[in-house]
Amino acid sequence: MSETIYALASAQGRAGVAVVRVSGQKAKLALSQFMQKDVPTPRAAKLCRLFHPQSGDVLDDALVLWFVAPKSFTGEDVAELHIHGGPAVIEGVLEALSSLQGLRLAEPGEFTRRAFENGKLDLTQVEGLADLIESETEAQRKQAQRQSEGELGALYDHWRNRLVRSLAHFEAELDFSDEELPEDLHNQVIDGVRELHGAIRAHLADGRRGERLRNGIRLAIIGPPNAGKSSLMNVLAQREAVIVSDIAGTTRDVVEIHMNLGGYPLLVADTAGLRNSTDEIEQEGVRRARAWADGADLKLAVFDGSSPTLFDAETLKLLDDYTLVAVNKADVLGDQVPDSLEGYPVLSLSVKSGAGLEALLDQLAVRVKEQCQSQSEGPAPTRARHREALQRCDQALERFLSRDQAIHMGSEFEAEDLRLAARELGRITGRVDVEDLLDVIFRDFCIGK
Ligand SMILES: Nc1nc2c(ncn2[C@@H]2O[C@H](COP(=O)(O)OP(=O)(O)OP(=O)(O)O)[C@@H](O)[C@H]2O)c(=O)[nH]1
Ligand SMILES: [Mg+2]
C-alpha cells in the first residue's frame, strides 16, 4: 500500500487562497478528522471549518473538495483544502496533517508521478502539464494544452499499436506455414510499415517547430558598431535594458530579453558591434556575438544609415535565409535607403523617430510564426527526447524496409527491428522501458512541490 501524501499544491507566498492536496488511502480519514464529521459529497465544493485533529483548535474556514478513487488527479482518494493563503494558515494546516499517522509530505512531482503510475496520464501528458504551468504566451499555452490533453501521446500510441500489429503478423509468418496464413500477408505487413515510416518521417521533418515554440525563438540583433542595435533592443524591451552611446563598441556582453510577439515567445539578444578590434574585451564581445548569432533561429542585421560604408563587410558575411535586414537612422538618410541588398529586402528604420518599427515587428512576427507553427494539422514533437526516440524508430524501420527488399523473406532478425521501433515509440509515452526516464521527467516537475 502506498503512503498517503500531502503538499501545498499552489505557489509559495501570500495569496487569497492556497490549495493543499492530500492523496492516498488515508485521505478520507484525515479529512473527516479535520472536519470533525463525515467527508462531503464527492466532487462538490463544501464550505466547512477545519480543526486540528489533535488539539481541536480551529485551523481555518475552507472550501473542501473530495474525490473518490479512481476519479481523481492521482487516481487515488484525494482531498483538496482551499484555505486562506497566508503563511501561518498554510503552516498550521501542513503541521496538522503531519501530526496524523501514515501521512507524509509529498516529494516534488509525486502527485503527478502517482497519476502516471495509476494510468491517469502518459509521459507526454505529464510533460504537457509541466509546459502548461511554464507557458508564457498564447501559442505556448495552446501547444501545452493540446499535449496535456493527450493529443501527442495518442498519436504515438496509435503508431505503436500499428507497429505491434505488424510485428505480430510478421512473427506469425515465421511460426506458421504459408498455407495456414492469409494470402499476401507478407506484402500487407511491408506496405503498412512503409506507410507508417513515411508518416514518422514527415512528423520528424517539422523543423523542430514544437521544440522552438516550447523554448522560444532565439533572435540575435547583429550589425556594425553604432548602428543602433542597443537602441532598438531598448525599444523592444520597453525599458533601458542596455547602455546606448555614440561611442562605437559600447556593447560588449550579450544581453538577452524575453518578449511576447503576437503570442509567440522570443528571446532577443543584443550583441557587440561586429568589427576587428585591438581591444581584448571588445574582441571577446565580438566572439560572443558571433557565437550567439550562430546558434540563433533568426537574425536581425541592423546597418548604420549614417555610416559612409553603410553595408559593412563583417555583417554581410553573416546574412542567410534566416536574416532580416534593416537600415537604421533613416531620419539621417531619408529616402536614400536602398530597397534591397543582395536579394534581401531592406527595411528602412529609424529607432529615433519610430518610423519603420511597426513594419519591422510585423515582418518579425511573420518569421517567428513560420518557425513555430506546424505545417501539418497534427501535433509536433516538443522535446529533444521525443525527437531522438522518433529518430531511433525511423532508423529501425529503415533497416527493416531496406533488408526486406534485398532478401524478401521474414526472419527473426527483421522482427527485432520492428520490436525496437515499437519500443522507441513506447518510450515516449512511457508504455515500456520507462524506469530510466521517469526520474528525468519528474525531477523538475513542480506540481505538488
Ligand atoms: N539619428 C539617429 N541616431 C540613432 C538612431 N538610433 C540610434 N541612434 C544613435 O546611434 C548611437 C549608437 O546607438 P547604439 O544603440 O548604442 O548603437 P549600437 O549598435 O548598440 O552600438 P554598439 O553597442 O557600439 O555596437 C547613439 O548615439 C544613438 O542615440 C536613429 O534612428 N537615428
Ligand atoms: Mg550596443
Side-chain angles (χ1 to χ4, degrees):
M1 184 179 84
S2 67
E3 291 166 292
T4 298
I5 52 172
Y6 63 88
L8 181 66
S10 50
Q12 295 280 356
R14 286 177 177 75
V17 178
V19 179
V20 172
R21 196 189 259 154
V22 187
S23 178
Q25 289 191 337
K26 295 230 163 103
K28 187 173 188 177
L29 182 64
L31 182 57
S32 62
Q33 283 181 311
F34 266 65
M35 292 170 63
Q36 293 190 349
K37 55 181 152 198
D38 279 348
V39 296
T41 315
R43 311 174 81 80
K46 167 100 175 149
L47 184 67
C48 59
R49 181 151 289 189
L50 301 182
F51 302 91
H52 195 293
Q54 255 75 38
S55 66
D57 288 348
V58 174
L59 285 170
D60 197 14
D61 287 318
L63 203 61
V64 170
L65 282 164
W66 170 240
F67 302 89
V68 181
K71 288 167 79 177
S72 72
F73 175 69
T74 57
E76 303 175 326
D77 280 352
V78 168
E80 264 183 28
L81 311 175
H82 295 229
I83 56 177
H84 291 100
V89 183
I90 297 170
E91 189 50 42
V93 171
L94 293 180
E95 187 281 318
L97 283 165
S98 75
S99 74
L100 295 174
Q101 254 212 339
L103 264 72
R104 68 162 171 83
L105 197 62
E107 306 282 341
E110 198 171 1
F111 288 104
T112 317
R113 178 186 272 264
R114 287 192 179 186
F116 168 73
E117 282 166 357
N118 291 326
K120 286 282 176 177
L121 303 171
D122 71 29
L123 287 184
T124 63
Q125 286 178 290
V126 170
E127 291 168 333
L129 209 50
D131 291 348
L132 192 61
I133 292 163
E134 290 293 321
S135 64
E136 289 179 354
T137 73
E138 175 79 4
Q140 281 179 316
R141 178 182 68 74
K142 282 187 176 156
Q143 174 167 276
Q145 197 155 23
R146 286 171 67 172
Q147 190 172 324
S148 68
E149 279 169 1
E151 196 183 30
L152 191 62
L155 176 68
Y156 297 149
D157 267 350
H158 172 66
W159 284 348
R160 179 167 176 267
N161 291 342
R162 276 178 61 178
L163 268 181
V164 171
R165 225 180 16 248
S166 298
L167 179 65
H169 288 161
F170 199 79
E171 292 198 327
E173 278 192 276
L174 302 178
D175 295 341
F176 296 93
S177 66
D178 285 351
E179 296 76 49
E180 290 172 292
L181 293 169
E183 221 179 294
D184 212 25
L185 180 66
H186 183 81
N187 286 339
Q188 278 176 31
V189 171
I190 302 302
D191 287 350
V193 171
R194 188 169 288 125
E195 197 188 310
L196 188 62
H197 185 228
I200 292 174
R201 277 265 160 106
H203 182 70
L204 267 172
D206 205 29
R208 300 192 185 185
R209 283 176 169 75
E211 283 173 70
R212 273 214 198 90
L213 177 54
R214 190 176 156 258
N215 299 326
I217 292 280
R218 293 161 62 89
L219 170 73
I221 305 179
I222 55 167
N226 246 348
K229 301 181 295 299
S230 300
S231 308
L232 176 62
M233 175 78 159
N234 286 343
V235 171
L236 297 178
Q238 297 180 322
R239 63 186 167 91
E240 297 300 306
V242 278
I243 300 172
V244 165
S245 91
D246 56 7
I247 302 167
T250 300
T251 306
R252 305 291 175 89
D253 287 317
V254 176
V255 181
E256 299 170 9
I257 57 153
H258 288 271
M259 232 188 113
N260 178 343
L261 189 66
Y264 290 87
L266 209 55
L267 180 66
V268 187
D270 179 28
T271 62
L274 302 167
R275 68 170 172 183
N276 296 318
S277 166
T278 50
D279 182 320
E280 223 174 285
I281 300 170
E282 191 176 353
Q283 275 175 13
E284 176 58 18
V286 171
R287 191 194 64 75
R288 290 181 187 203
R290 289 184 195 284
W292 215 100
D294 200 34
D297 302 305
L298 282 176
K299 285 178 278 197
L300 173 59
V302 180
F303 291 97
D304 184 351
S306 68
S307 155
T309 39
L310 189 55
F311 295 121
D312 91 295
E314 291 304 313
T315 307
L316 282 178
K317 284 183 207 160
L318 299 187
L319 304 194
D320 60 19
D321 289 351
Y322 301 100
T323 313
L324 280 175
V325 176
V327 172
N328 188 31
K329 307 191 187 179
D331 50 294
V332 179
L333 260 187
D335 56 9
Q336 295 168 53
V337 180
D339 291 340
S340 72
L341 161 71
E342 296 181 358
Y344 297 92
V346 172
L347 286 150
S348 162
L349 179 70
S350 168
V351 176
K352 194 173 175 182
S353 74
L357 255 175
E358 211 173 294
L360 172 67
L361 287 177
D362 286 349
Q363 291 246 1
L364 215 50
V366 170
R367 292 298 196 96
V368 167
K369 217 168 152 178
E370 258 171 27
Q371 295 232 345
C372 289
Q373 243 180 8
S374 179
Q375 281 150 334
S376 62
E377 272 298 295
T382 55
R383 293 179 188 239
R385 183 181 85 80
H386 306 162
R387 188 168 28 85
E388 285 160 11
L390 288 164
Q391 279 163 349
R392 287 191 295 268
C393 174
D394 169 64
Q395 285 157 10
L397 295 180
E398 175 81 48
R399 275 196 304 274
F400 172 82
L401 289 168
S402 58
R403 215 178 277 134
D404 184 75
Q405 275 156 16
I407 303 168
H408 230 269
M409 269 298 289
S411 75
E412 296 281 356
F413 202 36
E414 291 175 66
E416 189 52 30
D417 280 329
L418 282 186
R419 184 173 284 114
L420 257 174
R423 195 173 294 149
E424 289 300 342
L425 290 173
R427 282 168 68 89
I428 307 181
T429 54
R431 299 284 182 238
V432 282
D433 291 350
V434 290
E435 279 315 314
D436 55 338
L437 283 172
L438 286 179
D439 284 339
V440 181
I441 288 168
F442 286 109
R443 196 178 47 216
D444 300 326
F445 194 67
C446 58
I447 284 189
K449 212 178 253 177

